[in-house]
Every structure is written in C-alpha cells, then in structure tokens.
Amino acid sequence: MRPEDILVPTPVGVCCRIGGFYIDPTQAVDKAVITHGHSDHARAGHGAVLATQETLDLMRLRYGESFAGSTQAISYGESVALGGTRVTFHPAGHVLGSAQIAVEANGLRIVASGDYKNVLDPTCAAFELVACDVFITEATFGLPVFRHGDVDAEIAKLLHSLALFPERAHLVGAYALGKAQRLIALIRNAGYDKPIFLHGAMEKITRYYAGRGIALGRIELARTASKAELAGAVTLCPPSALKEVWSRRFPDPVTCFASGWMRVRARARQHLVELPLVISDHADWDGLTATVAATGASDIWVTHGQEEALVHWSITRGLQARPLDIVGYGDEDDADGVSEKTELGDAT
Ligand SMILES: [Zn+2]
Ligand SMILES: [Zn+2]
C-alpha cells in the first residue's frame, strides 16, 4: 500500500477515501476530522465532525449550535476505526484542544499535524512527537530567519514598558483564539496580577479557556473601564482593532503586537507597532526541522506557509518531500499576520 492509498491531497484538504473523511477541509463535506478551532481549519457546515471536545466547543462558540450535522468528541490518545483506517488524536501544542491526527492502515502511519508548536504553552497540552512514515506539516514560519526566541523575554519587555509609562495604555494586538489567552497566562506567570482588559471580541473564548481551568486571573472588558483604569494597564484586542476607531479612547496608547511575524522589522513598522512582541503559536524554523527529523518519516508533505524552504531542507536530508498546494489555510492566527477579521462579530 502506498501513502496515497490512505490519504490523498485534494484542493479542499487531505482526503482519506478508504476512511470516508477529509482532514480540515476548506469546504463543507460529509465527514470532517478537524485538528483545531482556527477558522481556516474548522469550518461550519460539515455533515459530521470528529474532533476534541475543546475544538467542538470552540466551533460551537463561533458558529452556533448547528455548526455541523453531528459531532463526535475524541480524547488525546484515543483511537477510532473509520472505514479501513484507525484514527488517533495526539496533542499538537498549538491552541486549546489542538490535535495531530494519525491515520493508520496496513501498517502504514501518516500524521497530519495541522498547526503545531514544540514549545511549552500554559494554555494547552504539550506537543507530542508521533513516529510515522509520512508527516504532514505546516510551514508558516518555514524560513531560517524565523527563530522565535524566549517568550518570557518578550513578556518582560511588555512589563518593562508598563513600568516606564504608567500613564499610557498598552494595547496588545493578538489573535482571539489561543494567542490572547496564552499571553494572559504568560503575563500572570511573570507575576503581574492587576486586571487585564479585553476587547469584546475575545470575551467568549477567553471565558471558555478560564472555564476549562486555565488560570487567567482577573479579566475585565475594556468597554466598561474608565480612561484612568486603562492607563498603565494591558488591554488585548484583535490586531485589526489597533487601527480602528475603537482604539482612540485609550490614553496615549503604546501599540504592541504579539506575533511570530514581529521578527521582521518591516512588518512591525508597516503596522505602526511601537512594541513588537515575537510570540508565536507556530513552530519556528528550528522547531519545524527538528520535528520533521524526529518523526522518522521518510516522506514529508507540506500544507501551507513557506513550503519551498522546508521541502528543500527535507530533500537535502534524503527525504521525499512536496508541497500540497491546498488553498485556504493561513487566513487566521499568525499564518498571515495581518488578519483584518474581527472574531464573533463584536466590534466593541
Ligand atoms: Zn491554527
Ligand atoms: Zn492554520
């Protein structure tokens, strides 16, 4: 049996014909197996969805009760038989509930990792290395220039700025699912215990994280806070809100943006970011290459991002590798770095 007899790339996502499902399809299908809740991977309108409980809950929060015909929750380490395959979920370390999906048939194992990072994150289960024959990987930061560095050093920069400018609001652009909650947890881990303010678009997801037992401390909505409360305090908002009328009521804001793209100075300048924070929920170049090597896979399929360099790197290591050319991944979270979308329709 060849890998393509188990999983085959199609323009709308990777398809498992013998199992009767797609992984992270970008269009509505009968049966979808979903890695995580970011909207480029988890779309509404599928007949049946298999995902972790957290991913299903996050989809429900975003799309409403009838986001799929039927749902089935699966835990990390759990397997289900689908058609002629065995499907097992493993933590991907990307956002709450994110999973790598291992598909096995006839002794061949393919792992579709969705988005992932191999550094610790206090808001989700740690990435688990799964040995496999074929590894399907993202390549959002798949260039040697991308080395994310130490997140605690980035948080220290933010706290230093707060101490230096106690009269200025600190507005931090961050993606609503995953990044915002991770930032809050990292700020808490650094010992900061004052209230952290939120743009309304992040409220539901953040409350959901807190409800799942992730310690986020005191969270308040920016819209109910006075100007004096916002001065010298941290407010998180979707990146797009940094440039919107919404941001004008903040006292002399320091504009911050937490993203892997902040490694690129020109990007920070382009977005008028005064304090760039290099914090990403995707593996950097070292993380991607170390993971690809450690899986032991001899065949590497690259879904999205900077595919060329990772494909080239793999081939020089004697592996087979190819880009999958799937259109539609990377319009949420770090993957484009300039998302203009505001989540959940609450623009306040
Ligand atoms: Zn993602
Ligand atoms: Zn993605």
Side-chain angles (χ1 to χ4, degrees):
M1 192 177 239
R2 299 168 309 143
E4 289 78 5
D5 298 324
I6 302 175
L7 286 181
V8 61
T10 78
V12 301
V14 179
C15 175
C16 178
R17 297 232 166 81
I18 55 172
F21 62 89
Y22 284 82
I23 297 174
D24 290 355
T26 58
Q27 280 170 26
V29 299
D30 288 341
K31 185 157 184 78
V33 178
I34 292 183
T35 59
H36 69 286
H38 279 144
S39 59
D40 49 332
H41 299 257
R43 295 179 196 245
H46 302 307
V49 171
L50 174 69
T52 63
Q53 187 62 56
E54 290 86 352
T55 295
L56 294 174
D57 290 342
L58 289 164
M59 291 178 78
R60 194 171 291 113
L61 274 183
R62 296 183 136 176
Y63 303 131
E65 278 303 324
S66 53
F67 72 92
S70 67
T71 62
Q72 184 183 347
I74 181 166
S75 308
Y76 295 134
E78 193 181 337
S79 297
V80 293
L82 290 179
T85 68
R86 196 165 82 113
V87 172
T88 311
F89 276 50
H90 302 273
H94 176 56
V95 297
L96 185 61
S98 65
Q100 308 174 75
I101 295 161
V103 183
E104 289 169 275
N106 287 0
L108 203 63
R109 182 189 289 150
I110 305 183
V111 170
S113 54
D115 292 337
Y116 65 95
K117 70 174 176 293
N118 58 337
V119 297
L120 287 180
D121 175 339
T123 65
C124 65
F127 178 86
E128 180 187 324
L129 186 74
V130 183
C132 54
D133 302 292
V134 180
F135 186 58
I136 308 180
T137 180
E138 59 142 323
T140 302
F141 292 106
L143 286 173
V145 64
F146 291 112
R147 289 189 161 95
H148 298 328
D150 175 20
V151 288
D152 294 326
E154 300 300 296
I155 296 297
K157 277 189 213 166
L158 174 62
L159 297 182
H160 180 67
S161 178
L162 280 171
L164 223 50
F165 305 111
E167 71 294 343
R168 300 181 69 185
H170 284 64
L171 266 182
V172 186
Y175 294 97
L177 167 53
K179 182 66 64 63
Q181 298 76 28
R182 182 178 176 214
L183 275 179
I184 297 170
L186 289 169
I187 291 169
R188 296 309 187 200
N189 286 353
Y192 184 86
D193 58 3
K194 294 184 193 151
I196 293 176
F197 296 92
L198 280 190
H199 185 288
M202 295 170 156
E203 185 185 10
K204 278 193 214 171
I205 293 176
T206 304
R207 301 247 181 259
Y208 177 74
Y209 266 65
R212 297 296 291 193
I214 291 151
L216 300 177
R218 228 171 104 202
I219 302 295
E220 289 176 20
L221 285 180
R223 68 163 167 258
T224 60
S226 68
K227 244 184 161 164
E229 288 174 298
L230 297 171
V234 178
T235 300
L236 301 186
C237 64
S240 58
L242 291 172
K243 296 179 212 156
E244 288 167 2
V245 181
W246 177 84
S247 68
R248 291 199 195 139
R249 60 178 287 250
F250 288 83
D252 192 18
V254 176
T255 302
C256 320
F257 190 177
S259 165
W261 293 108
M262 292 297 104
R263 179 63 70 209
V264 183
R265 289 262 157 217
R267 282 259 194 171
R269 274 200 299 274
Q270 178 194 342
H271 294 284
L272 306 174
V273 175
E274 195 173 336
L275 182 59
L277 302 171
V278 185
I279 299 178
S280 175
D281 285 336
H282 296 265
D284 64 5
W285 175 253
D286 292 335
L288 292 169
T289 52
T291 304
V292 163
T295 60
S298 56
D299 197 352
I300 310 301
W301 299 357
V302 186
T303 53
H304 61 299
Q306 317 278 335
E307 299 101 309
E308 305 308 322
L310 191 57
V311 165
H312 178 77
W313 180 91
S314 303
I315 290 169
T316 61
R317 293 291 182 289
L319 309 173
Q320 291 184 63
R322 57 165 162 152
L324 294 192
D325 301 319
I326 298 170
V327 177
Y329 292 152
D331 29 349
E332 192 185 355
D333 76 58
D334 273 349
D336 71 347
V338 290
S339 175
E340 296 302 321
K341 274 187 298 193
T342 299
E343 296 288 57
L344 301 164
D346 181 351
T348 58

